[in-house]
Each structure stands twice: as structure tokens, then as C-alpha cells.
């Protein structure tokens, strides 16, 4: 908590846009846009990279630092997988800077933290349907004082197993892994982990720490997603997404 307050005070360019307005769901709004095509390519690349790991049903997307595009990418990936007819669940496990409720217009803020904090809470009460038939979401719920503990709990592990059985694919949007331990505690419990690297934001130092952290966290890495946030500046309104493979890209 303190970390994010400090950053806001410093005015370091951290974007709150997706928290206040939601992520831009370009894949749903403009399926013919080249950016939507890039999300479909990303989907194909993730599927391809996942073959070696077996059936990847739980996929965590993280990055070293805030504002590198995790929420934008997870929301659009969820959309393109659902467009393919897969039963998809997007889980907002970024309990510190949640975005999914706003992105998908979920007004009932009953979410993950409610479920994890209350042993009597039922799974059905936190699954929210979206306008897309095969896409459901779990929102973060109220921001708790102890996000990392909640995510590390046995109840979370049981939840992951249950969700895995109910959906073809469960995508987790989580906080940046260099800042807080939330993502790290979840990584080893996933089938696959994809790391976003931002052309405009990810620093050299962060990249150097990345492969270390991924090894410590025993992350089943399926690949790196290159998000060219700089392209916006170069081309006006462009969103650029690409995809790379393996540990080598992060060294
Ligand atoms: N490729 C891109 N081009 C331009 N802007 C982007 C791109 N990817 C993300 N953004 C913007 O950057 C900001 C942070 O993105 P977000 O998805 O919230 O990151 P994170 O979840 O990693 O904090 C948002 O305002 C988002 O619209
Ligand atoms: Mg986010």
C-alpha cells in the first residue's frame, strides 16, 4: 500500500487510467483493428509455447514494474480466447491496483478478497458474467490490508484448482513482481506464466532481476510479451504488441 502512495506522490508517470476508466478492450470493440489481430497472434504464440508445458489452463501474466500493460493485455487476451469459443475466466488478482471491475462494468464489487477472507463465502457469488457468452470475471473485491497473505493462503490454492476444473482457461492479472510478493507466491501454482516487457518502461535493472526472480519463484514461463508502449509516442495512437520466447529474452 505504502509503495503506491509513495509513487503517486512522486508523480513518476504511473498511470491510473486503467483503474479509473478500465482497460481499452480493443479486441472486443474493434476486432478488425490491426491491434486486435496482434492480440490474436499473441494468443496463437502462447498456445504454441504452451504445448511443451502440457495443457495450460491457468495462465498468470505479470511484469517487473507497474504500468507496463498487464491489465490491458490480460483483458484483451481474455476477450480473444473467448472469441475462439473457449470458456474463459479473468481473475483480478491485482488486489492493489484493481482494474477488471471497471473494464468489464461489474458494479457489484464482491470479489476475490471477499471469498478468500470468508470461509463461508461461495464461489458462485464472486463469478460475474460479462457481455461475452463464454467470458466470466472475478473482480478483486475491496482492497485488503494483507494482499500477499490472502493470495498465499490455502483457500487460494483450493480456489485455483476449482477454477481450473470449471474453465478452459483461467487468466490471472497480478501486481508487478519486483514490487511486492503477490505475483511470486502465485507463480509456482500456475500451469503457465507470461511476462510483459515494455519497450517504453521496463528498465535494464528490472530485466536483470527478472530471470532471478522467475527462478526463485519456480515460474513455469511460457514466454515474454513485448509491449511497445513507445509506439504510442512515435505513431500517435498506436498500440504495439509482440511476443518473444524463453528466458533468453530477459537476460
Ligand atoms: N502498447 C501500448 N500503447 C500505448 N499505451 C499502452 C500500451 N499498453 C498499455 N498502455 C497504457 O499504459 C497504461 C498502463 O497500462 P496497464 O494495462 O494498466 O498496466 P499495468 O496493469 O501493468 O499496470 C494504461 O493507460 C494503458 O492504456
Ligand atoms: Mg494492472
Amino acid at each position: 500500500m505504502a509503495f503506491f502512495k509513495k509513487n503517486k506522490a512522486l508523480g513518476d508517470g504511473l498511470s491510473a487510467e486503467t483503474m479509473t476508466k478500465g482497460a481499452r478492450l480493443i479486441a472486443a470493440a474493434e476486432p478488425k483493428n490491426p491491434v486486435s489481430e496482434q492480440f490474436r497472434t499473441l494468443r496463437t504464440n502462447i498456445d504454441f509455447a504452451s504445448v511443451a508445458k502440457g495443457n495450460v489452463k491457468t495462465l498468470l501474466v505479470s511484469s517487473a514494474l507497474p504500468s507496463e500493460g498487464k491489465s490491458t493485455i490480460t483483458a484483451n487476451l481474455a476477450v480473444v480466447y473467448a472469441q475462439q469459443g473457449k470458456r474463459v475466466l479473468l481473475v483480478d488478482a491485482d488486489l492493489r491496483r484493481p482494474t477488471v471491475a471497471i473494464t468489464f462494468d461489474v458494479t457489484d464489487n464482491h470479489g476475490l478478497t471477499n471469498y478468500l477472507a470468508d470461509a463461508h463465502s461461495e464461489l458462485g457469488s464472486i463469478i460475474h458474467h460479462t457481455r461475452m457468452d463464454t467470458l466470466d470475471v472475478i473482480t478483486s473485491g475491496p482492497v485488503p490490508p494483507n494482499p500477499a497473505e490472502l493470495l498465499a493462503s490455502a483457500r487460494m490454492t483450493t480456489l485455483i484448482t476449482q477454477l481450473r476444473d470449471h474453465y478452459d482457461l483461467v487468466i490471472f492479472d497480478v501486481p508487478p513482481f519486483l514490487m511486492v510478493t503477490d505475483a511470486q507466491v502465485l507463480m509456482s501454482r500456475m500451469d503457465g506464466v507470461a511476462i510483459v516487457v515494455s519497450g517504453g518502461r521496463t528498465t535494464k535493472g528490472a530485466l536483470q532481476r527478472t530471470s532471478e526472480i522467475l527462478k526463485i519463484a519456480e515460474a513455469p514461463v511460457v514466454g515474454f510479451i513485448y509491449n511497445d508502449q513507445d509506439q504510442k509516442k512515435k505513431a500517435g495512437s498506436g498500440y504495439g504488441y509482440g511476443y518473444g520466447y524463453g528466458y533468453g529474452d530477459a537476460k
Side-chain angles (χ1 to χ4, degrees):
M1 292 287 278
F3 165 75
F4 291 109
K5 277 191 192 130
K6 191 169 143 216
N7 271 289
K8 265 185 199 145
L10 286 172
D12 64 353
L14 255 195
S15 172
E17 190 191 11
T18 42
M19 289 177 72
T20 54
K21 294 189 197 150
R24 201 175 145 210
L25 282 181
I26 191 156
E30 298 172 49
K32 290 193 178 144
N33 188 300
V35 175
S36 304
E37 181 56 33
Q38 284 178 307
F39 281 116
R40 289 190 291 273
T41 304
L42 180 57
R43 177 186 69 194
T44 308
N45 287 339
I46 289 176
D47 286 344
F48 190 72
S50 302
V51 171
K53 307 254 173 224
N55 192 7
V56 173
K57 291 188 86 180
T58 51
L59 176 73
L60 176 148
V61 178
S62 190
S63 74
L65 302 165
S67 295
E68 294 186 301
K70 293 176 287 298
S71 298
T72 308
I73 291 170
T74 46
N76 282 284
L77 257 188
V79 166
V80 292
Y81 272 108
Q83 283 169 341
Q84 214 182 20
K86 286 210 164 119
R87 287 171 302 145
V88 182
L89 177 73
L90 175 63
V91 180
D92 198 344
D94 189 341
L95 307 178
R96 299 165 194 264
R97 289 167 56 88
T99 54
V100 171
I102 295 176
T103 300
F104 290 91
D105 291 329
V106 179
T107 44
D108 165 14
N109 193 26
H110 202 74
L112 187 58
T113 58
N114 302 95
Y115 183 81
L116 294 177
D118 175 6
H120 300 291
S121 177
E122 290 189 11
L123 185 51
S125 70
I126 58 162
I127 305 258
H128 300 288
H129 303 302
T130 68
R131 280 176 217 147
M132 293 185 73
D133 283 347
T134 59
L135 177 58
D136 291 345
V137 297
I138 292 182
T139 59
S140 79
V143 177
N146 56 344
E149 270 170 57
L150 280 182
L151 295 173
S153 66
R155 196 164 161 78
M156 182 69 188
T157 306
T158 313
L159 176 66
I160 294 169
T161 312
Q162 282 174 314
L163 296 175
R164 218 177 165 280
D165 289 342
H166 277 86
Y167 291 90
D168 297 321
L169 179 67
V170 188
I171 301 176
F172 293 81
D173 183 8
V174 298
F177 55 80
L178 287 192
M179 300 302 180
V180 287
T181 56
D182 306 21
Q184 293 180 44
V185 301
L186 288 176
M187 283 178 180
S188 65
R189 287 181 270 170
M190 296 289 138
D191 298 336
V193 167
I195 302 299
V196 178
V197 177
S198 165
R201 287 187 162 267
T202 313
T203 60
K204 205 174 160 197
L207 274 180
Q208 279 164 348
R209 288 278 291 137
T210 294
S211 58
E212 255 171 71
I213 298 267
L214 294 176
K215 267 178 211 151
I216 294 166
E218 295 175 21
V221 178
V222 292
F224 290 81
I225 300 167
Y226 179 69
N227 184 12
D228 189 4
Q229 284 175 307
D230 258 356
Q231 192 172 301
K232 191 177 175 186
K233 289 175 216 145
K234 284 181 236 146
S237 65
Y239 267 64
Y241 294 91
Y243 195 67
Y245 298 99
Y247 276 98
D249 291 337
K251 277 179 187 159

